[in-house]
Amino acid sequence: GDLLGKSVLITGAGTIGCLTVMAARLAGATRVTVSDVLDRPLAKALEEAQRAVEHHDGAAAIELLRPVIVPQASVELRVAALRVYCYALLLEGQWAELVPTLQHNAALIGQEEIRRYAFTAHELGHTVEAQHIGSLLARTSPMTPRPANDFG
C-alpha cells in the first residue's frame, strides 16, 4: 500500500527486516521503527547501520539502531550500537536527541568516544553543541575495561 507520510513498525531486525526498512523509507514512510529481542538480528541491524553511516545516511542508521540500543541487547552490542547511533545523530544534526542520549549513556559510551563527538561537532561548526558534549567529560567516569573472555 501507500506508505507516504506514514509510520511503519517492522518486527525483526534481521536481513529481511533491514531490507524492509530501506523499502519503507523509499516508499515515503516518515518514521520507521524496528523491533527485535535476539542479539543476532540486532547485530545484523548494527552492521547495516554502520554501512549507512559510511555512506553518510545517518537517518537510515538511526532507524536501524533504535531497536539495538534497548536494554534487552547484550552490553557489548548496546555499546557498539550506541556509539554508531550517536554518530548518526551527529551526522543528521539531531542535537536535541544526541546530547541527552550521551548524558544518559556516558558511562557505556566512554570518555574517548564522547571526546570524538565533541571534536566532530566543533569541526562541523557547532561550537555550542561541542561545548555541551565536552561538558559531559567532567561528569563521566572512565568505563572499567571488561575482560575479553571469562578467563580474564
Side-chain angles (χ1 to χ4, degrees), residues 35-112:
S35 67
D36 211 312
V37 294
L38 301 174
D39 271 2
R40 187 171 175 203
L42 295 175
K44 183 66 176 170
L46 173 59
E47 189 178 302
E48 292 300 320
Q50 288 170 323
R51 278 194 201 100
V53 166
E54 288 171 6
H55 291 95
H56 304 283
D57 189 355
I62 290 166
E63 290 168 357
L64 288 164
L65 287 170
R66 280 198 172 110
V68 184
I69 58 176
V70 296
Q72 295 87 348
S74 68
V75 174
E76 293 81 8
L77 189 58
R78 278 185 66 215
V79 169
L82 277 165
R83 289 175 174 175
V84 175
Y85 182 72
C86 288
Y87 188 72
L89 290 172
L90 192 141
L91 276 178
E92 292 298 309
Q94 294 188 16
W95 308 106
E97 188 173 347
L98 174 62
V99 175
T101 300
L102 288 172
Q103 287 172 331
H104 184 72
N105 298 288
L108 278 175
I109 294 169
Q111 289 184 344
E112 188 58 37

